[in-house]
């Protein structure tokens, strides 16, 4: 199958789900829509609505999506002054990002079958703010046979590859 792909650049940086879905005695709850991220996403959607609608219409609505997300962070956001990585779980940004992306594209986020996410380092001297860029591709779901051989095994265990060894560890 030939895949269709679209790239949306410089989307607002999503907040961590820890900021959007605080936990209280009743459990995890959704916070109100007062976070600046929501407003920025709405403004992005309004500003680019024609282009997004045209591109989204080209994508087959019955085919799963692969969503590759690139989060562009200032060096200072990712590293301490001593050069050590800061504690930042990129997966905490995915829920809010995928939810809002689905709204912008007018698709159900259950269509997202797979994808990647990456932290990308940018210079605060060259760029005004942090952002996200996304590539959305229509893809058939992954089949076990399309995975590398070492991932196809259904036998429980740990496989060590590299580090001068290729063997099963138990």
């Amino acid at each position: 199958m030939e895949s269709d792909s679209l790239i949306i650049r410089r989307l607002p940086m999503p907040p961590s789900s820890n900021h959007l879905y605080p936990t209280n005695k009743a459990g995890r709850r959704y916070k109100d829509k007062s976070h600046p991220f929501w407003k920025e996403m709405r403004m992005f959607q309004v500003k680019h609505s024609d282009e997004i609608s045209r591109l989204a219409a080209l994508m087959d609505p019955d085919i799963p999506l692969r969503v590759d997300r690139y989060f562009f962070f200032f060096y200072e956001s990712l590293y301490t002054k001593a050069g050590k990585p800061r504690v930042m779980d990129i997966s905490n940004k995915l829920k809010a990002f995928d939810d809002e992306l689905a709204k912008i594209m007018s698709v159900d986020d259950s269509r997202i079958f797979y994808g990647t996410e990456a932290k990308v380092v940018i210079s605060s001297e060259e760029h005004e703010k942090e952002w996200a860029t996304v590539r959305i591709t229509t893809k058939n779901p992954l089949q076990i046979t399309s995975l590398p051989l070492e991932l196809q095994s259904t036998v429980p265990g740990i496989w060590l590859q590299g580090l001068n060894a290729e063997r099963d560890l138990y």
Side-chain angles (χ1 to χ4, degrees):
M1 174 194 122
E2 185 88 15
S3 63
D4 295 318
S5 178
L6 77 96
I7 297 172
I8 303 174
R9 295 184 182 95
R10 298 188 75 103
L11 285 157
M13 179 65 75
S16 165
S17 60
N18 296 332
H19 293 108
L20 293 176
Y21 308 100
T23 304
N24 62 19
K25 290 180 182 179
R28 205 149 172 93
R29 65 176 181 79
Y30 187 69
K31 198 173 182 180
D32 68 323
K33 292 271 193 176
S34 64
H35 195 283
F37 172 68
W38 309 121
K39 183 178 178 185
E40 290 176 23
M41 286 297 277
R42 292 291 79 74
M43 289 177 10
F44 186 94
Q45 183 179 18
V46 168
K47 183 176 181 182
H48 301 285
S49 63
D50 290 343
E51 300 96 324
I52 291 171
S53 296
R54 269 198 314 272
L55 293 170
L58 297 174
M59 302 185 93
D60 187 328
D62 298 321
I63 295 180
L65 300 175
R66 173 185 174 142
V67 178
D68 297 310
R69 308 156 200 90
Y70 302 92
F71 299 100
F72 293 78
F73 291 98
F74 296 136
Y75 178 88
E76 301 81 18
S77 295
L78 295 175
Y79 294 95
T80 65
K81 288 184 180 182
K84 298 189 187 268
R86 291 186 186 275
V87 176
M88 183 197 301
D89 185 354
I90 195 72
S91 64
N92 283 341
K93 294 189 175 286
L94 298 181
K95 177 68 176 145
F97 188 75
D98 287 351
D99 286 350
E100 289 304 301
L101 184 62
K103 284 181 191 172
I104 285 176
M105 298 296 300
S106 299
V107 299
D108 186 338
D109 62 353
S110 67
R111 285 186 56 201
I112 300 172
F113 270 56
Y114 62 106
T116 59
E117 57 276 340
K119 298 175 189 176
V120 180
V121 178
I122 58 173
S123 166
S124 58
E125 294 173 5
E126 296 176 20
H127 301 281
E128 189 176 305
K129 61 192 256 185
E130 298 171 327
W131 72 89
T133 290
V134 64
R135 176 192 305 260
I136 304 170
T137 311
T138 55
K139 291 279 189 178
N140 284 324
L142 286 174
Q143 303 293 323
I144 194 167
T145 55
S146 65
L147 296 174
L149 285 176
E150 63 269 19
L151 299 178
Q152 290 183 25
S153 174
T154 58
V155 177
I158 300 172
W159 174 257
L160 177 64
Q161 186 172 357
L163 302 174
N164 300 321
E166 288 198 12
R167 64 183 185 277
D168 282 312
L169 301 176
Y170 292 96

